[in-house]
Amino acid sequence: MALQPTLKPLIIAGRPDAPHTLDIFLDYVCPFSAKMSLTIDKVVKPLLDAGGKYDGKVKAILRPQVQPWHVASTLTHESALAVAKVAPEKFWSYSVALFKNQTEFFDKAIANLTVTQIREKLVALAVPIIGDDKKAELTNFLTYKSTPNGGIAVTDELKYNIKFGRQNGIHVSPTVLWDGLVANEISSSWTEQDWNDFFKAKVIV
């Protein structure tokens, strides 16, 4: 599937030139997305990364899927895209941290916080992962531009991902595409055996 060059860090597993593609649409404040993210980290990535059984055969792309009924969805996705800019090699590590700490950004948890305060919390979550030396740069990426309604430095990347999801008719998170087609059988409840059976059926080793 297509991926604009500035979003290369969203390839979270496998080689960029791998012939097969898993497009994984996740929302950082969706509990089912969080559940799937842990399986991706523990099961899927080891299979696709260097030395894995499907190394060079399959790549996985995290597709940010903003779900606007979750108040913090846009803000959490913006922060991940900003991390992809300032520390691209840490994008997945930060994504995992977001999923593990997502309850801190649930609606009730942020009900009395301003947008700026929420972004400060997101930066605080990122700093131990990306390094204190990149805190100022990350903060700058998450600061409003001088124009009244122009968004922030990663607004264009956010728009790209939202448009990509809409164009492909993605509504539910998580949703997974295999080589461009929705794989409805894949769910957040899949086990290691389920993933192994899937790849065995789909990939010629």
Side-chain angles (χ1 to χ4, degrees):
M1 294 291 284
L3 186 69
Q4 69 179 40
T6 60
L7 294 174
K8 186 177 179 181
L10 274 59
I11 301 174
I12 58 172
R15 303 181 192 180
D17 61 350
H20 294 292
T21 303
L22 276 173
D23 287 289
I24 308 170
F25 291 78
L26 301 176
D27 173 29
Y28 289 115
V29 284
C30 165
F32 297 103
S33 292
K35 184 177 181 180
M36 179 173 277
S37 75
L38 298 180
T39 307
I40 293 168
D41 195 48
K42 294 178 181 178
V43 177
V44 177
K45 277 181 61 61
L47 288 171
L48 308 189
D49 283 340
K53 185 175 182 179
Y54 300 100
D55 175 18
K57 301 288 186 179
V58 183
K59 63 181 174 292
I61 302 174
L62 192 162
R63 299 287 187 172
Q65 177 72 1
V66 175
Q67 304 286 37
W69 47 85
H70 298 311
V71 175
S73 185
T74 294
L75 300 177
T76 53
H77 284 286
E78 285 176 339
S79 72
L81 292 169
V83 167
K85 291 280 193 180
V86 304
E89 74 285 357
K90 299 296 185 180
F91 171 75
W92 176 246
S93 296
Y94 177 63
S95 293
V96 172
L98 275 175
F99 285 121
K100 287 182 176 179
N101 294 276
Q102 66 175 194
T103 57
E104 294 182 25
F105 303 97
F106 281 1
D107 294 349
K108 285 188 176 181
I110 61 167
N112 297 313
L113 300 180
T114 66
V115 169
T116 299
Q117 288 172 325
I118 296 168
R119 285 180 170 148
E120 288 172 350
K121 282 174 63 69
L122 291 164
V123 169
L125 181 64
V127 166
I129 298 167
I130 67 173
D132 192 64
D133 59 316
K134 295 187 177 179
K135 179 180 179 180
E137 186 180 6
L138 179 61
T139 300
N140 184 57
F141 267 98
L142 297 176
T143 300
Y144 286 121
K145 299 176 181 179
S146 57
T147 54
N149 202 30
I152 59 175
V154 293
T155 296
D156 286 344
E157 283 79 7
L158 185 72
K159 288 180 180 179
Y160 171 90
N161 283 287
I162 291 173
K163 290 175 181 178
F164 186 85
R166 288 176 177 173
Q167 172 183 280
N168 287 282
I170 307 302
H171 300 288
V172 177
S173 61
T175 294
V176 180
L177 310 188
W178 173 257
D179 289 344
L181 297 180
V182 175
N184 282 316
E185 68 269 32
I186 298 177
S187 79
S188 60
S189 298
W190 265 26
T191 64
E192 182 175 0
Q193 187 61 54
D194 291 321
W195 278 107
N196 276 292
D197 290 345
F198 178 82
F199 288 127
K200 184 178 180 181
K202 298 289 188 180
V203 183
I204 298 174
V205 179

